């Protein structure tokens, strides 16, 4: 296996060559090492840790210190995998706060930071990227807004909101973001966004035509109590956790995951 550390250039090259990108969330060094060896391309230290590690009802309440701690833990296990860290709720509401917190997360070992939303966030992305902070956007279902959205629901089902989401995605790319996570939208919209953008679009519940896929680790290991429709349990295909990670990577690479049953 090639153990050279992946960069954003490798990931962009994968998109250009039509090679699907496999991403998972992870929160500690042991699982990170297993993912690295299984060929996972990107690890996200997601603020989903608020739910799957801390036992909260939502991701609201996770702190920058929490993400920095888990980012440091994960980075100890990695040789090849690209490390992305989430900016938690309230950590990027203005330009200087966003930049200061990005510096903390990049200092903890991540190679890029992810932040949710469009609108006023576009200016913040522009501010950060023009000052050297690598940024990934996150559109569609943005879990930090769960209380505004009224629950974890599929987004942009109608034509007007789908058009708005496509425009937002293009604006985030123009602001300098080098990757986009797209969550819980109809598969046709996932395909349109991936086709419209030059940067890799990583879907979660956004259909097989995104440039890559991401799942929360606990969900794909079959540990969630009520898994959302877009989740597959990869422990069904393996006797070991590392085997489940390999099965996931292979299924994503070959375009077998997600299948129609996982799409909206
Ligand atoms: O925090 C997280 O795990 C995420 C994924 C759902 C993409 O943002």
């Amino acid at each position: 296996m090639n153990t050279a550390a992946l960069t954003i250039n490798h990931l962009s090259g994968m998109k250009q060559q039509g090679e699907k990108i496999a991403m998972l969330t992870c929160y500690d060094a042991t699982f990170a090492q297993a993912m690295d060896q299984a060929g996972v391309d990107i690890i996200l230290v997601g603020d989903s840790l608020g739910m799957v590690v801390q036992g909260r009802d939502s991701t609201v309440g996770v702190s920058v210190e929490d993400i920095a701690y888990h980012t440091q833990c994960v980075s100890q296990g990695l040789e090849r995998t690209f490390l992305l860290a989430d900016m938690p709720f309230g950590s990027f509401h203005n330009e200087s706060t966003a930049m200061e917190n990005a510096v903390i997360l990049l200092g903890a070992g991540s190679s890029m930071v992810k932040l949710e939303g469009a609108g006023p966030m576009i200016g913040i992305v522009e501010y950060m990227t023009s000052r050297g902070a690598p940024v990934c956007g996150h559109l569609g279902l943005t879990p930090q807004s769960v209380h505004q959205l009224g629950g974890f629901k599929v987004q942009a089902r109608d034509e007007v909101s789908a058009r708005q989401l496509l425009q937002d995605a293009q604006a985030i790319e123009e602001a300098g973001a080098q990757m986009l996570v797209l969550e819980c939208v109809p598969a046709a919209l996932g395909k349109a966004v991936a086709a419209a953008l030059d940067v890799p679009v990583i879907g979660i519940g956004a259909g097989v035509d995104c440039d890559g896929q991401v799942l929360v680790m606990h969900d794909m290991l079959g540990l969630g109590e009520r898994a959302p429709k877009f989740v597959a349990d990869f422990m069904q295909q393996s006797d070991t956790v590392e085997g489940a990670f390999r099965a996931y990577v292979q299924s994503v690479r070959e375009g077998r995951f997600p299948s129609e049953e996982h799409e909206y």
Side-chain angles (χ1 to χ4, degrees):
M1 187 202 295
N2 175 13
T3 53
L6 289 180
T7 64
I8 186 59
N9 294 346
H10 291 113
L11 299 167
S12 302
M14 287 175 77
K15 170 169 180 142
Q16 279 153 23
Q17 285 158 23
E19 192 181 347
K20 298 282 187 189
I21 299 165
M23 167 163 150
L24 285 173
T25 71
C26 185
Y27 318 94
D28 72 31
T30 304
F31 283 109
Q33 192 174 23
M35 286 185 191
D36 191 286
Q37 283 170 5
V40 172
D41 302 305
I42 306 173
I43 282 177
L44 167 65
V45 180
D47 61 359
S48 51
L49 71 83
M51 299 173 82
V52 297
V53 177
Q54 298 173 338
R56 299 173 190 267
D57 289 337
S58 81
T59 61
V60 177
V62 173
S63 67
V64 173
E65 290 71 26
D66 293 336
I67 301 280
Y69 171 74
H70 288 278
T71 299
Q72 266 171 357
C73 294
V74 166
S75 71
Q76 300 302 315
L78 300 186
E79 285 183 14
R80 170 187 175 273
T81 305
F82 186 88
L83 183 49
L84 174 63
D86 241 344
M87 300 201 64
F89 183 64
S91 71
F92 53 96
H93 54 274
N94 66 47
E95 292 167 346
S96 53
T97 304
M99 194 64 198
E100 280 162 22
N101 287 323
V103 169
I104 293 173
L105 298 179
L106 294 165
S110 67
S111 296
M112 185 175 280
V113 293
K114 173 167 84 60
L115 56 86
E116 295 184 8
M121 300 313 154
I122 309 279
I124 290 175
V125 172
E126 211 272 329
Y127 182 90
M128 294 167 74
T129 58
S130 61
R131 283 156 183 79
V135 172
C136 171
H138 183 153
L139 293 178
L141 173 60
T142 46
Q144 291 170 13
S145 312
V146 63
H147 300 306
Q148 275 184 330
L149 298 172
F152 296 100
K153 296 177 183 164
V154 184
Q155 302 296 304
R157 278 195 187 273
D158 64 88
E159 213 175 298
V160 173
S161 47
R163 207 174 314 124
Q164 181 64 52
L165 188 146
L166 187 54
Q167 280 172 13
D168 288 344
Q170 285 168 322
I172 286 173
E173 180 177 62
E174 273 163 31
Q178 291 172 287
M179 190 151 56
L180 180 72
V181 166
L182 190 54
E183 180 164 356
C184 275
V185 299
L189 181 56
K191 181 176 182 173
V193 173
L197 265 52
D198 288 331
V199 302
V201 175
I202 313 295
I204 172 164
V208 72
D209 292 309
C210 292
D211 305 307
Q213 301 294 326
V214 55
L215 285 176
V216 170
M217 178 187 80
H218 295 61
D219 289 344
M220 57 79 70
L221 294 179
L223 292 171
E225 268 174 24
R226 272 186 300 127
K229 176 182 161 84
F230 57 76
V231 169
D233 174 358
F234 286 88
M235 281 306 283
Q236 300 291 329
Q237 303 175 36
S238 176
D239 293 334
T240 64
V241 165
E242 192 177 320
F245 295 153
R246 281 188 198 283
Y248 171 74
V249 171
Q250 214 172 334
S251 299
V252 170
R253 290 263 197 275
E254 293 170 6
R256 288 186 286 109
F257 177 79
S259 59
E260 256 176 53
E261 66 182 292
H262 305 115
E263 293 183 349
Y264 298 105

